[in-house]
């Protein structure tokens, strides 16, 4: 299973505000990360990247604001995951963590695990892993219906605290007030204020929202089993 970002989107991915971390050795775990990334991205309209190498983690760390950790069975035995987590933490200590429990087989680490982790990787790695497990993980069930998954992702996205874009209503109000101040010029010219406001809203939001291609194909992934 290979993760291959298209060359055209590499730059956009490296500006990702949310970095998705999860299994790198399990094809099922990787697919779970991609599904969750897609669903979160659809709701938040924020740039995201699922990283699978330490090099990728190092490049995205500076601009990222959140790490979305997808907890699945064997995650903390995945050496690449551990190194990516440590790399992100060291490069950007201000990163906030959001976690999703996506596998009933996931086991929270024991005291013995942390002792072994410290012996093999050092205290910094222990602190990084503890940051992940000390945060209440919200459930994500990739084997259930889309209705259940959608409800779970809706709840998960509330953990991300981004500045909200103005609503369409505020855009309409702003436009209507400006037209009223100009003596309802649109009506005098035979225009329809509501229609004009909607057209203005479309133009105003066009440049501020990522394109449809960005959401549907920001990263091209191919599976090689």
């Amino acid at each position: 299973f290979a993760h291959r970002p298209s060359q055209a989107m590499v730059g956009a991915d490296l500006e990702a505000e949310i970095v998705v971390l999860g299994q790198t050795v399990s094809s099922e775990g990787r697919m779970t990360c991609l599904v969750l990334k897609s669903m979160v991205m659809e709701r938040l309209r924020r740039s995201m990247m699922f990283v699978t190498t330490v090099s990728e983690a190092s490049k995205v760390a500076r601009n990222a604001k959140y790490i979305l950790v997808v907890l699945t069975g064997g995650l903390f035995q995945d050496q690449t995951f551990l190194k990516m987590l440590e790399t992100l933490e060291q490069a950007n200590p201000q990163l906030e963590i959001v976690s999703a429990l996506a596998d009933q087989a996931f086991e929270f680490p024991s005291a013995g695990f942390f002792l072994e982790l410290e012996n093999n990787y050092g205290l910094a790695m222990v602190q990084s892993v503890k940051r992940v497990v000390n945060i209440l993980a919200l459930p994500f069930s990739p084997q259930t219906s889309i209705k259940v998954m959608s409800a779970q992702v809706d709840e998960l996205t509330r953990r991300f605290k981004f500045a909200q874009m103005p609503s369409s209503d505020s855009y309409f109000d702003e436009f209507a007030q400006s037209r009223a101040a100009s003596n309802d010029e649109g009506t005098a010219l035979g225009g329809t204020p509501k229609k004009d406001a909607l057209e203005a809203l479309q133009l105003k939001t066009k440049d501020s929202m990522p394109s449809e291609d960005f959401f549907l194909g920001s990263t091209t992934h191919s599976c090689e089993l």
Side-chain angles (χ1 to χ4, degrees), residues 179-200:
R179 295 307 296 267
S182 61
N183 296 319
D184 202 15
E185 178 183 357
T187 303
L189 295 176
T192 304
K194 184 176 181 180
K195 179 181 178 181
D196 291 344
L198 293 174
E199 291 175 351

Side-chain angles (χ1 to χ4, degrees), residues 65-91:
K65 296 178 175 61
Y66 285 92
I67 306 173
L68 173 56
V69 181
V70 184
L71 304 176
T72 54
L75 181 65
F76 292 134
Q77 282 70 51
D78 185 334
Q79 294 184 5
T80 301
F81 165 80
L82 292 174
K83 292 177 181 177
M84 291 190 300
L85 176 64
E86 185 180 38
T87 296
L88 287 166
E89 293 261 276
Q90 291 179 347

Side-chain angles (χ1 to χ4, degrees), residues 24-223:
T24 64
V25 296
S26 162
S27 59
E28 183 177 354
R30 291 166 68 109
M31 186 57 67
T32 298
C33 291
L34 292 174
V35 170
L36 183 56
K37 168 183 172 284
S38 177
M39 296 182 73
V40 171
M41 196 172 183
E42 180 184 9
R43 287 158 174 77
L44 291 180
R45 298 295 195 264
R46 298 285 175 170
S47 55
M48 299 178 64
M49 183 178 180
F50 171 41
V51 299
T52 58
T53 68
V54 175
S55 176
E56 287 179 344
S58 177
K59 291 175 182 177
V60 301
R62 184 181 65 177
N63 294 310
K65 296 178 175 61
Y66 285 92
I67 306 173
L68 173 56
V69 181
V70 184
L71 304 176
T72 54
L75 181 65
F76 292 134
Q77 282 70 51
D78 185 334
Q79 294 184 5
T80 301
F81 165 80
L82 292 174
K83 292 177 181 177
M84 291 190 300
L85 176 64
E86 185 180 38
T87 296
L88 287 166
E89 293 261 276
Q90 291 179 347
N92 187 351
Q94 304 304 315
L95 278 169
E96 296 188 46
I97 295 177
V98 174
S99 58
L101 182 58
D103 185 357
Q104 292 183 350
F106 174 79
E107 295 183 0
F108 285 90
S110 63
F113 169 83
F114 284 118
L115 181 60
E116 182 179 355
L117 193 66
E118 183 176 357
N119 291 335
N120 293 333
Y121 295 98
L123 185 59
M125 181 70 80
V126 172
Q127 293 173 339
S128 294
V129 172
K130 283 186 174 181
R131 275 199 70 202
V132 173
V133 299
N134 286 341
I135 295 172
L136 178 64
L138 294 180
F140 177 66
S141 308
Q143 305 299 329
T144 59
S145 68
I146 186 64
K147 182 177 180 180
V148 171
M149 286 193 294
S150 294
Q152 291 175 333
V153 175
D154 287 343
E155 184 66 25
L156 182 68
T157 54
R158 295 190 179 98
R159 293 283 183 91
F160 298 94
K161 306 300 182 184
F162 288 109
Q164 298 296 315
M165 289 183 60
S167 67
S168 59
D169 288 340
S170 66
Y171 279 133
F172 182 84
D173 291 343
E174 176 185 342
F175 183 88
Q177 290 172 6
S178 67
R179 295 307 296 267
S182 61
N183 296 319
D184 202 15
E185 178 183 357
T187 303
L189 295 176
T192 304
K194 184 176 181 180
K195 179 181 178 181
D196 291 344
L198 293 174
E199 291 175 351
L201 171 60
Q202 292 174 345
L203 292 174
K204 191 167 185 179
T205 57
K206 182 178 180 181
D207 294 333
S208 63
M209 292 292 289
S211 67
E212 180 179 358
D213 290 340
F214 176 80
F215 292 114
L216 296 180
S218 63
T219 305
T220 302
H221 304 275
S222 61
C223 298

